Amino acid sequence: MTLLRVLLRYSRRYWAWIVAVFALQLISTMAALYLPSLNAEIIDDGVSTGDTALIWGLGGRMLLVCLVQVVTAVAAIWFGARTAMAIGRDLRRDLFDTVTAMSEQQVRLFGSPTLITRGTNDIQQVQMLALMTLNFMVSTPIMCIGGIVMALREDVGLSWLVWTSVPLLLVIVGFLVARLMPLFRTVQERIDGINGVLREQIIGIRVVRAFVREPHETRRFAEANRRLTDVSIRVGQLFVLMFPVIGMVLHLATAAVLWFGGQRVDAGVMQVGSLTAFLQYLLQILMAVMMGTFMAMMVPRAIVCAERVDEVLRVDPEQAEPETVREVPRTGVVEFRDVEFRYPGAERPVLSGISFRAVPGQTTAIVGSTGSGKTTLLGLIPRLMQASGGEVLVDGVPVADLARAQLAERVSLVTQRPYLFSGTIASNLRFGREDATDDELWHALTVAQAADFVREQPEGLERRVSQGGTNVSGGQRQRLCIARTLVARPDIYLFDDSFSALDVATDARLRKALAPELADATAIIVAQRISTVMGADQIIVLDDGHIVGQGTHDELLAANETYQQIVASQISAQEEA
Ligand SMILES: Nc1ncnc2c1ncn2[C@@H]1O[C@H](COP(=O)(O)OP(=O)(O)OP(=O)(O)O)[C@@H](O)[C@H]1O
Ligand SMILES: [Mg+2]
């Protein structure tokens, strides 16, 4: 069972605390069980005979036992809570680590909404169950069995009340739990649903507004919301039944004990003290059964949640570190050997037969129509995805054999869709190298043509950046991302269409400033404009995932049909403009 496996695996580290919980609970439960019989003794031997000294003595002992019970119970809960929270924390950490080590496709296979629910809500459920288990696992059975034993010691004649009320309670609660179980899976799935709709709408809010799709989106959310509400109401209805039914059984049992016990006291076969003790024991037993069933009620939901969490933890992340990490000299050479890449489930490969070499001090440009596979090709170098065929080598080593940290210091990618993190401009720029000085940041900003923009901000480098970088313009974001890469100072720079949001003049200035920075580095540039790639040492022409041309601008212009077409289309577009 997944839940058990997960709980066992994660509680192993805290065995000392768990032992403490067990021991403390044992003491506390014993004390609780001892109290009613002491009470009975006071009534039968002290009150009925008027022995005040005995009453004082036994009363004092009761107080002491009570004290022990309270202290141990509190301590047990303290340790239990600590352990459960620690298990939750570890689960969350491992889930986070797994998700961050997943490749893009693996994340897409799950989808972000469900990964978020699993990392928060589902783990919360498992953690709650761990807490309940630790709080009641020991006390409930002991209370149950001990209570029965003690009750029988007080009076065997009334024992049939135990044998009837406990199964009655079990049957009723068991029936309700069995009906709840399937509903819980639906609840979790519908929480995913709400998360998904909400996330998409928040991220796509501008598009929604631009196309005046609010009514449609509102309906979509309302539908997801209604679906969650429906199933939650069904869960609630069953829960509502639970409490009155349990209450009824408890009260019926009390009445029955008093009724039948009273007759036995009348007949002189039972003492009053025993009757009160019996009643207390029966209530303790029923309470324990109730607690047990509450736990049983959480179990179905926790099972579902544990399975969902485990599903993520079991993924073998494609971004995982190689088994052995070795020192690799940094040469800055990138090589593709007959590389093929296929998105999972896709019929055709997006890239095939890709072979080329990019060396330090040179700029390699990649051109091709949209959808020809340029972004995919760049993504293979920092191992965002893994090639499905052939080999991608950095510094003469397959990228899969390099540790992520090794790759990160060698390769830096400016993505096509620039992304900044919430924080400040400075914190974003230091993303690739935390110890960069302010001077280095300003230098990178100057090269990236972003210094003026930052200087205009009253807070300068400390200007706040919101999640995703949505509070700066697209072009500013792109230039900040270029600056971030420059601060990191990798051996290999990858620019994915990074100059497209810039006007022609800024583009030219940026490339001029960039040239000395990249003099010793390997640069691979994806670009749309021929003017951007003209000066490159080699140009790779990509068409539908294949390399259809390779050479300098002049060579390609002379002999390559696809390249000639691209050039022609841009010249004619310019003339029209
Ligand atoms: N996650 C994905 N799953 C399946 N197919 C994808 C995925 N991402 C991209 N593709 C497909 O792979 C092909 C290449 O995409 P890619 O993003 O590499 O093109 P590109 O050359 O960068 O285009 P552009 O110039 O528009 O940026 C396209 O046909 C695209 O539909
Ligand atoms: Mg692209």
Side-chain angles (χ1 to χ4, degrees):
M1 213 166 82
T2 315
L3 176 66
L4 208 62
R5 197 158 40 81
V6 168
L7 282 181
L8 282 181
R9 175 154 31 106
Y10 279 87
S11 55
R12 205 173 296 149
R13 201 171 316 151
Y14 306 105
W15 66 269
W17 290 1
I18 294 173
V19 168
V21 172
F22 283 7
L24 288 165
Q25 253 173 33
L26 199 67
I27 300 171
S28 137
T29 316
M30 302 282 231
L33 281 171
Y34 187 35
L35 285 173
S37 72
L38 272 178
N39 195 20
E41 245 179 275
I42 292 184
I43 294 173
D44 292 343
D45 302 342
V47 177
S48 51
T49 58
D51 186 344
T52 327
L54 187 80
I55 295 179
W56 274 110
L58 286 174
R61 202 180 322 160
M62 267 185 92
L63 206 62
L64 208 71
V65 173
C66 219
L67 207 69
V68 169
Q69 201 249 328
V70 168
V71 170
T72 48
V74 168
I77 288 180
W78 191 79
F79 276 112
R82 276 192 76 101
T83 314
M85 298 309 134
I87 292 174
R89 177 198 57 203
D90 294 353
L91 263 172
R92 264 191 298 274
R93 184 197 53 212
D94 286 359
L95 189 106
F96 182 78
D97 286 350
T98 312
V99 172
T100 45
M102 281 183 184
S103 64
E104 279 187 38
Q105 301 107 285
Q106 286 178 319
V107 170
R108 237 175 253 139
L109 227 51
F110 282 98
S112 334
T114 182
L115 285 177
I116 293 172
T117 328
R118 288 173 204 225
T120 50
N121 187 301
D122 291 43
I123 290 181
Q124 178 89 22
Q125 300 292 335
V126 174
Q127 178 181 307
M128 271 300 282
L129 185 89
L131 183 65
M132 293 290 273
T133 310
L134 287 168
N135 281 349
F136 297 115
M137 193 159 77
V138 187
S139 55
T140 304
I142 296 179
M143 196 65 118
C144 244
I145 296 164
I148 291 173
V149 171
M150 296 299 272
L152 294 189
R153 262 189 43 189
E154 296 296 338
D155 191 71
V156 180
L158 286 178
S159 63
W160 63 274
L161 279 173
V162 177
W163 308 134
T164 46
S165 57
V166 170
L168 184 68
L169 195 62
L170 273 179
V171 166
I172 292 170
V173 177
F175 171 76
L176 292 176
V177 167
R179 300 209 38 192
L180 278 171
M181 176 97 167
L183 290 182
F184 282 132
R185 186 177 290 273
T186 321
V187 169
Q188 292 314 102
E189 276 162 13
R190 296 199 177 164
I191 292 178
D192 283 352
I194 285 249
N195 264 351
V197 175
L198 203 57
R199 218 180 99 86
E200 193 177 25
Q201 287 172 352
I202 291 171
I203 291 173
I205 187 75
R206 285 155 165 272
V207 182
V208 170
R209 297 235 168 98
F211 288 89
V212 201
R213 297 281 286 176
E214 282 105 330
H216 172 82
E217 292 299 321
T218 308
R219 267 201 307 281
R220 210 155 72 94
F221 183 79
E223 174 61 18
N225 200 358
R226 190 189 57 76
R227 285 163 56 81
L228 177 62
T229 312
D230 282 351
V231 65
S232 304
I233 286 178
R234 290 224 300 282
V235 170
Q237 282 166 344
L238 289 174
F239 262 96
V240 160
L241 268 181
M242 199 90 118
F243 291 97
V245 167
I246 290 170
M248 199 176 69
V249 174
L250 288 186
H251 297 313
L252 277 178
T254 310
V257 168
L258 291 178
W259 178 263
F260 294 105
Q263 288 177 356
R264 290 173 67 79
V265 171
D266 246 1
V269 287
M270 191 180 186
Q271 285 189 295
V272 180
S274 291
L275 180 65
T276 50
F278 188 90
L279 182 60
Q280 281 172 19
Y281 283 126
L282 185 62
L283 290 182
Q284 276 182 348
I285 297 167
L286 293 180
M287 284 303 251
V289 170
M290 201 174 75
M291 279 308 173
T293 34
F294 273 156
M295 258 191 64
M297 224 157 50
M298 298 190 58
V299 170
R301 186 163 192 185
I303 289 177
V304 173
C305 292
E307 277 165 7
R308 283 162 47 100
V309 172
D310 192 53
E311 213 176 6
V312 181
L313 291 177
R314 266 205 323 266
V315 171
D316 183 18
E318 287 184 355
Q319 292 281 309
E321 300 290 359
E323 271 158 31
T324 51
V325 176
R326 56 197 172 94
E327 277 304 309
V328 177
R330 291 165 68 158
T331 58
V333 178
V334 177
E335 192 175 351
F336 276 58
R337 286 192 194 147
D338 196 22
V339 169
E340 185 204 80
F341 181 80
R342 192 186 294 266
Y343 280 100
E347 283 173 22
R348 286 173 350 112
V350 174
L351 293 173
S352 58
I354 305 290
S355 301
F356 72 92
R357 238 170 97 86
V359 294
Q362 294 205 342
T363 300
T364 302
I366 299 174
V367 293
S369 53
T370 86
S372 55
K374 306 181 295 290
T375 299
T376 310
L377 189 155
L378 282 195
L380 294 173
I381 302 171
R383 194 150 56 94
L384 299 181
M385 298 93 77
Q386 274 182 343
S388 44
E391 263 186 324
V392 180
L393 301 111
V394 166
D395 293 347
V397 179
V399 282
D401 294 348
L402 287 168
R404 265 189 284 168
Q406 286 179 317
L407 257 180
E409 63 184 15
R410 280 151 222 253
V411 182
S412 190
L413 166 69
V414 182
T415 51
Q416 188 166 17
R417 284 192 2 218
Y419 193 93
L420 296 171
F421 290 85
S422 51
T424 61
I425 289 181
S427 74
N428 269 286
L429 292 181
R430 290 204 172 93
F431 215 71
R433 200 157 55 85
E434 279 171 19
D435 57 358
T437 62
D438 277 7
D439 283 345
E440 288 174 308
L441 301 190
W442 280 112
H443 175 69
L445 286 170
T446 311
V447 173
Q449 309 296 312
D452 289 344
F453 152 68
V454 177
R455 214 169 279 128
E456 279 164 19
Q457 308 296 322
E459 306 97 328
L461 286 171
E462 294 310 311
R463 154 82 141 85
R464 303 293 316 167
V465 175
S466 58
Q467 194 180 45
T470 44
N471 60 349
V472 298
S473 84
Q476 287 159 352
R477 201 182 313 151
Q478 201 163 43
R479 276 176 277 173
L480 287 174
C481 286
I482 294 172
R484 175 172 65 192
T485 295
L486 290 170
V487 171
R489 279 202 312 238
D491 309 334
I492 300 157
Y493 289 85
L494 310 175
F495 296 98
D496 191 353
D497 218 0
S498 304
F499 314 112
S500 58
L502 312 178
D503 56 88
V504 179
T506 317
D507 178 14
R509 254 186 290 133
L510 171 60
R511 274 183 298 121
K512 194 152 160 268
L514 212 48
E517 296 293 317
L518 302 183
D520 301 324
T522 310
I524 303 182
I525 294 178
V526 166
Q528 303 282 351
R529 284 194 205 119
I530 291 297
S531 60
T532 313
V533 303
M534 252 163 65
D537 300 282
Q538 70 170 335
I539 300 171
I540 292 169
V541 187
L542 215 54
D543 187 25
D544 199 18
H546 299 272
I547 294 184
V548 294
Q550 197 166 354
T552 62
H553 175 71
D554 293 334
E555 288 165 8
L556 289 168
L557 198 59
N560 190 276
E561 207 180 318
T562 315
Y563 194 73
Q564 286 163 354
Q565 278 170 9
I566 298 174
V567 174
S569 69
Q570 292 196 5
I571 290 172
S572 60
Q574 252 171 18
E575 279 168 357
E576 276 166 33

